[in-house]
Amino acid sequence: MDGPLLIIVAVVVVALIVGLVLWQRSSTHPVEDTTPAAPPIRSVLGSAIRRALASGLDDATWDEIEAALLAADVGVEATSDIVSSVRQSRPESVDEARTAIRNALRAELVEADRSLILTGSPASIVIVGVNGTGKTTTIAKLAKRFQDSGKTVTLGAADTFRAAAGDQLQTWGDRVGSQVVRGQEGGDPAAVVYDTLESARAKGMDVVIIDTAGRLHGKKNLMAELQKIYRVAGGDEVSEVLLVLDATAGQNGLAQVREFSNAIPISGIVLTKLDGTAKGGIVIAIERTLDVPVKLVGTGESLDDLVAFDPDAFVDSLME
């Protein structure tokens, strides 16, 4: 075989190998990344505790630590128990005290499965929360998260109460490449849920994410409407009911979780805007008081800024 022909054959072989590799990559769905990640919390709690411990371990120190925990939205009861537990352990050094505080904070977080449960064909996720918490953006982030793991997603615009809510969800759906099912403004949101599920089943979609109105949690008629949405979405067969909560809401967030939980069973919390808050202790207050696990944390504006909640990493970041 002469030189030019040998070169041509070599080029063809290389091209075939490269083409085969690219085809294999494009036909293989990536595995969903469920590894918990530490949200980059800019908390003042750690620095406040360091300042308190700098003067030693006297009564004034524990008063300062108590004030720091309260300022971080940990809650009155949890703060009292944490300080009492640490003092009773009788730490003999600053390092021992810091370790004891860290362990006491961690003990306040529930031991729960924090993964997203996807059951059914399609799996259905209902998203609830008051206006201004970042609910629609969270839905887009969730959709992208699922699609990155190889799943197909349909979004249901069941917030027919707020003007332009459907347009907003449509914009996000177009951006992430998810189908959006809509109804008429002011129409029956439960009908939108029904149409969304029917469309998703017909197209063999993997996941349905339902947006709901950012209803005021004190409105009984709106909560009744939410219960209807839940029933149409499958009731007990709904995979997840996630409450989107603004981390900067502080103790007011407890009231929101409590009221929504009275209407439908909340399976997890998505805590947003944790990147810009100087607190973060609301996580402990929520889990201690209401026994609802935080499953996801929004740490920024990017579509990739939605991470699985890791209790250990969270407490470590609070203490830094």
Side-chain angles (χ1 to χ4, degrees):
M1 183 179 296
D2 57 20
L5 183 58
L6 183 60
I7 292 174
I8 293 173
V9 171
V11 169
V12 170
V13 171
V14 170
L16 288 172
I17 293 174
V18 171
L20 179 61
V21 171
L22 292 175
W23 176 81
Q24 288 178 330
R25 288 182 178 178
S26 64
S27 61
T28 304
H29 293 309
V31 177
E32 183 176 1
D33 180 14
T34 57
T35 303
I41 304 166
R42 295 194 293 271
S43 174
V44 298
L45 179 60
S47 58
I49 289 175
R50 281 196 300 274
R51 286 194 302 271
L53 293 174
S55 59
L57 300 177
D58 55 19
D59 289 342
T61 299
W62 301 116
D63 288 343
E64 289 183 43
I65 290 174
E66 183 175 285
L69 291 169
L70 289 172
D73 278 333
V74 171
V76 175
E77 291 184 2
T79 293
S80 177
D81 288 348
I82 289 169
V83 173
S84 295
S85 173
V86 174
R87 295 193 70 172
Q88 288 173 10
S89 70
R90 299 184 182 279
E92 297 181 356
S93 68
V94 169
D95 287 341
E96 286 185 10
R98 281 182 56 80
T99 299
I101 294 170
R102 190 264 178 212
N103 292 340
L105 286 168
R106 177 62 182 87
E108 292 293 329
L109 297 174
V110 300
E111 296 299 330
D113 182 2
R114 298 177 188 272
S115 62
L116 293 179
I117 308 301
L118 299 180
T119 56
S121 298
S124 56
I125 299 176
V126 176
I127 307 294
V128 302
V130 301
N131 287 331
T133 58
K135 185 160 52 70
T136 308
T137 307
T138 296
I139 290 172
K141 292 178 179 180
L142 267 177
K144 183 178 185 299
R145 184 183 182 90
F146 288 134
Q147 289 173 171
D148 286 347
S149 69
K151 295 178 175 60
T152 52
V153 181
T154 294
L155 307 181
D159 181 358
T160 60
F161 184 77
R162 181 170 62 90
D167 291 338
Q168 184 181 9
L169 189 65
Q170 184 70 62
T171 298
W172 279 114
D174 293 341
R175 183 173 174 183
V176 300
S178 292
Q179 174 198 13
V180 178
V181 176
R182 304 176 56 176
Q184 292 184 345
E185 185 177 320
D188 182 4
V192 177
V193 174
Y194 178 84
D195 291 342
T196 302
L197 288 169
E198 287 296 296
S199 175
R201 291 189 185 103
K203 296 181 179 180
M205 307 298 281
D206 298 317
V207 182
V208 164
I209 305 176
I210 303 296
D211 186 18
T212 62
R215 57 200 72 243
L216 298 175
H217 51 275
K219 300 283 188 177
K220 291 184 178 180
N221 59 324
L222 294 178
M223 284 300 179
E225 181 183 280
L226 184 59
Q227 292 172 336
K228 181 180 178 182
I229 288 174
Y230 177 70
R231 291 194 300 271
V232 173
D236 292 340
E237 295 181 1
V238 171
S239 297
E240 293 276 4
V241 178
L242 300 177
L243 172 61
V244 179
L245 189 66
D246 183 342
T248 64
Q251 294 298 305
N252 184 52
L254 290 176
Q256 294 178 27
V257 180
R258 187 176 289 110
E259 292 297 329
F260 279 102
S261 296
N262 288 337
I264 58 176
I266 304 298
S267 60
I269 303 293
V270 181
L271 201 63
T272 62
K273 306 180 185 179
L274 199 58
D275 58 321
T277 179
K279 300 182 179 182
I282 188 62
V283 173
I284 292 171
I286 289 171
E287 297 206 354
R288 173 190 171 94
T289 306
L290 304 169
D291 200 32
V292 178
V294 174
K295 292 196 171 187
L296 295 165
V297 175
T299 61
E301 297 300 323
S302 168
L303 283 170
D304 294 317
D305 292 333
L306 186 69
V307 299
F309 181 76
D310 180 345
D312 293 313
F314 172 75
V315 173
D316 287 343
S317 65
L318 278 181
M319 292 295 293
E320 287 179 358

